Amino acid sequence: MREPVDRRRQRILAAVQARGAARVRDLADELQVSVVTVRRDVEELTREGRLRRGHGVVRSTLPAQEIPSNDLAHGDRVAVVVPERHSYLTETLHGARTALEEAGMRMALHIAPQVAGAERPLVERALADGARGLLLAPRWHTLAAERADHGWLAGLEVPTVLMERRPRQGSLAHTLDSVCSDHWYGAHLAVEHLVGLGHRRIVFATREDSPTARTLRAAFTGIAGAHPLLEEWAWALISKQAGREGPYTADETADLPRLLRRTRATAVVLHSDVDALMVVQRLADDGVRVPEDCSVVAYDDVVAALATSPLTAVSPPKAQVGRAAAELLTQRLREGGRQPARRVELLPRLMVRGSTRRADGTDGTDGTDGVGTSNE
């Protein structure tokens, strides 16, 4: 039986007044009606002066003292700190911005230069300017740089969510909220796709100057080392200049075409896909054809699809990471510090394009050989 309109509007009014603010989408879910229906009800309640509308958000018209103090005020500012020239995080920023605007909050973006410790003064400035919460993606070129940040991160007194960053277990910053892609699963998708195409000798090449690269190295080597079907595998730096931890072995800093010849590898996984495009060009200069002589899987899927021959790529859910981080932050701002810290992981997908084929030379783009695959 359909609920009377007056009763439904009273329920909307009660829900919004209890929280101070609510999203239209959440109200529709709670009342089990369409978003369009809630919007019509909200418009009428707004005309009556009983509610205020924002961008996808409804707010109470009760005096401020009658609304719990931890509810969000329209226009509250969240500071977002990300590294400069980091194309991967552009989509993450879009996702975060959308979620913050829906919550009626403003995003203040701060770009950290490529020097160690650049994030801390930006955070301090943002807090002095009145930021109520923080979304952070520190560059962390090295483990030492990460450890140097743990102390002040743990001492922050406003809700803070890390995006695509996860402090080391047992560190001072271990209990910070974080939202990340599950890069182990991304590595798993790449390996299983290539093994499913019959490849038994694979080279992995990553940058060793980012948290994601270090996570991927550990994931790739762990998965490959335990895989019963792989006959040989090797890990290397994309280029000698990409590593900052060291020391590295000769193979780990070897020229990739030479390493492919030494291992007789028929496939390579490359992080990031910007580097993957450059490596494909180097392979072509060395007479190695993709995918005829060597299958290539890129990791990041920022520009992999734009190559002359689009690259198969692992695609982390970049925009969704930003949205989930912003939603977690706004939830923290509403509820205070009463809930335990959360670590959220979102699964990547594999986008199968034209840079991979079966090891026997036949086409392998039907998308039936792996888990979580998509064709473009």
Side-chain angles (χ1 to χ4, degrees), residues 127 131-134 156-160:
L127 294 178
R132 286 196 58 192
L134 299 168
L156 290 171
E157 296 182 353
V158 299
T160 301

Side-chain angles (χ1 to χ4, degrees), residues 25 55 93-103 107 323 326:
R25 185 188 309 164
H55 296 292
L93 288 176
H94 287 316
R97 179 182 178 181
T98 300
L100 291 173
E101 287 179 346
E102 289 175 356
M107 183 175 85
R323 169 176 278 279

Side-chain angles (χ1 to χ4, degrees), residues 22-360:
R23 294 196 306 174
V24 170
R25 185 188 309 164
D26 294 340
L27 292 170
D29 290 342
E30 291 176 25
L31 273 63
Q32 297 184 327
V33 296
S34 71
V35 171
V36 173
T37 296
V38 173
R39 283 176 179 157
R40 282 199 294 261
D41 291 340
V42 166
E43 287 175 3
E44 182 57 34
L45 291 169
T46 300
R47 277 194 292 269
E48 295 173 3
R50 305 169 79 184
L51 290 178
R52 291 185 292 116
R53 294 170 57 198
H55 296 292
V57 178
V58 187
R59 301 186 181 282
S60 175
T61 56
L62 288 174
Q65 64 269 24
E66 295 184 41
I67 300 175
S69 61
N70 62 341
D71 280 328
L72 302 178
H74 185 71
D76 275 345
R77 186 186 304 117
V78 166
V80 182
V81 181
V82 297
E84 67 172 329
R85 295 198 294 274
H86 203 305
S87 56
Y88 179 98
L89 289 170
T90 301
E91 292 181 52
T92 305
L93 288 176
H94 287 316
R97 179 182 178 181
T98 300
L100 291 173
E101 287 179 346
E102 289 175 356
M105 304 194 75
R106 291 188 295 135
M107 183 175 85
L109 180 61
H110 300 265
I111 306 297
Q114 298 189 53
V115 294
E119 289 82 9
R120 184 172 185 176
L122 294 178
V123 167
E124 291 173 348
R125 187 180 310 158
L127 294 178
D129 289 341
R132 286 196 58 192
L134 299 168
L135 293 175
L136 304 179
R139 186 176 292 277
W140 286 346
H141 274 309
T142 64
L143 292 174
E146 178 182 338
R147 285 192 291 267
D149 283 345
H150 285 170
W152 69 267
L153 285 173
L156 290 171
E157 296 182 353
V158 299
T160 301
V161 180
L162 298 177
M163 301 185 298
E164 292 291 20
R165 301 291 185 264
R166 183 151 290 169
R168 297 277 162 168
Q169 292 182 343
S171 68
L172 291 173
H174 182 88
T175 58
L176 283 177
D177 288 327
S178 64
V179 179
C180 300
S181 301
D182 184 345
H183 293 302
W184 182 94
Y185 185 72
H188 165 77
L189 288 178
V191 172
E192 289 303 320
H193 174 65
L194 292 171
V195 169
L197 293 174
H199 296 281
R200 298 295 180 262
R201 294 171 177 269
I202 302 175
V203 167
F204 311 103
T206 65
R207 286 188 164 272
E208 193 69 339
D209 60 358
S210 78
T212 298
R214 292 190 287 272
T215 299
L216 284 174
R217 177 184 180 179
F220 281 133
T221 56
I223 292 168
H227 205 295
L229 296 180
L230 285 181
E231 298 172 6
E232 185 165 357
W233 61 273
W235 172 82
L237 293 169
I238 287 283
S239 69
K240 293 181 181 179
Q241 293 73 35
R244 302 196 179 194
E245 295 293 341
Y248 301 102
T249 67
D251 270 357
E252 291 172 347
T253 56
D255 180 68
L256 281 177
R258 185 181 70 80
L259 183 59
L260 289 171
R261 288 193 297 270
R262 187 194 71 72
T263 59
R264 292 184 290 125
T266 59
V268 59
V269 182
L270 302 164
H271 173 258
S272 66
D273 57 333
V274 171
D275 293 293
L277 293 177
M278 299 176 67
V279 169
V280 168
Q281 293 168 190
R282 287 168 52 198
L283 292 175
D285 293 341
D286 206 58
V288 179
R289 300 169 301 166
V290 174
E292 292 84 357
D293 302 322
C294 181
S295 286
V296 172
V297 176
Y299 199 102
D300 272 359
D301 202 29
V302 176
V303 295
L306 303 180
T308 302
S309 297
L311 302 181
T312 294
V314 176
S315 183
K318 299 173 280 294
Q320 292 85 347
V321 166
R323 169 176 278 279
E327 289 176 344
L328 176 54
L329 182 63
T330 55
Q331 183 177 354
R332 287 294 190 214
L333 289 167
R334 289 192 179 100
E335 69 189 12
R338 296 186 295 273
Q339 299 298 324
R342 294 170 194 165
R343 291 188 159 195
V344 180
E345 283 192 332
L346 305 179
L347 299 186
R349 296 188 300 161
L350 180 70
M351 311 306 294
V352 180
R353 302 186 180 106
S355 65
T356 53
R357 63 161 49 186
R358 296 194 60 83
D360 60 13

